[in-house]
């Protein structure tokens, strides 16, 4: 299943919208960004991939013009904020206990998991 979402970001005091596709890459999760503004999208072309290593978004830009670095910095902050909001909203994933019909959900206290019945 491919995940696609939109982010709003501010670049030079104007708000723009970008579409982000999430890919599971070999090195980590990759975020491919397309901006819904043709001029900005053309500037970003070739520098539109943000990579996440071990749950941390990598801000490295490589060698690119100054205006593209500023654009990538704006996108980086928007992506970081979106990912942080999703981490708070995401429900904990249950895991099955082997040999039983019970599952557990991680709670705030890891020594006392919440118990559920199937």
């Amino acid at each position: 299943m491919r995940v696609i979402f939109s982010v709003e970001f501010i670049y030079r005091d104007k708000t723009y919208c970008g579409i982000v596709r999430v890919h599971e890459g070999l090195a980590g999760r990759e975020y491919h960004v397309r901006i819904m503004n043709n001029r900005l999208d053309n500037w970003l072309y070739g520098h539109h991939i943000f990579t996440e290593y071990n749950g941390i978004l990598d801000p490295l830009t490589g060698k690119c013009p100054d205006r593209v670095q500023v654009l990538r910095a704006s996108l980086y902050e928007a992506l970081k904020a979106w990912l942080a909001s999703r981490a708070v909203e995401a429900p904990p994933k249950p895991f099955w206990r082997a040999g039983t019909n019970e599952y557990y959900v991680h709670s705030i206290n890891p020594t006392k998991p919440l118990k559920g019945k199937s």
Side-chain angles (χ1 to χ4, degrees):
M1 181 172 141
R2 187 168 294 186
V3 178
I4 299 174
F5 62 92
S6 65
V7 293
E8 286 187 353
F9 64 97
I10 298 172
Y11 177 70
R12 294 192 179 176
D13 300 327
K14 291 185 181 177
T15 303
Y16 296 97
C17 183
I19 303 296
V20 182
R21 290 180 298 147
V22 182
H23 293 275
E24 295 295 332
L26 296 175
R29 192 171 288 152
E30 295 178 344
Y31 299 93
H32 296 244
V33 180
R34 294 293 308 261
I35 300 174
M36 299 296 105
N37 179 299
N38 196 32
R39 180 176 52 98
L40 294 181
D41 194 46
N42 286 338
W43 285 357
L44 190 65
Y45 184 77
H47 306 283
H48 65 285
I49 299 174
F50 293 82
T51 307
E52 182 181 56
Y53 300 103
N54 297 327
I56 300 171
L57 196 61
D58 186 14
L60 294 178
T61 58
K63 198 169 193 177
C64 57
D66 290 341
R67 64 183 182 199
V68 177
Q69 287 182 355
V70 173
L71 180 59
R72 274 188 59 99
S74 299
L75 283 166
Y76 171 77
E77 292 300 324
L79 275 174
K80 195 168 71 169
W82 189 89
L83 291 171
S85 71
R86 290 289 294 177
V88 171
E89 294 174 6
K93 293 183 179 179
F95 62 93
W96 290 95
R97 187 173 183 183
T100 67
N101 287 336
E102 298 176 345
Y103 65 91
Y104 290 84
V105 177
H106 291 287
S107 66
I108 294 171
N109 184 352
T111 60
K112 292 184 176 182
L114 300 174
K115 190 174 180 182
K117 295 279 185 182
S118 58

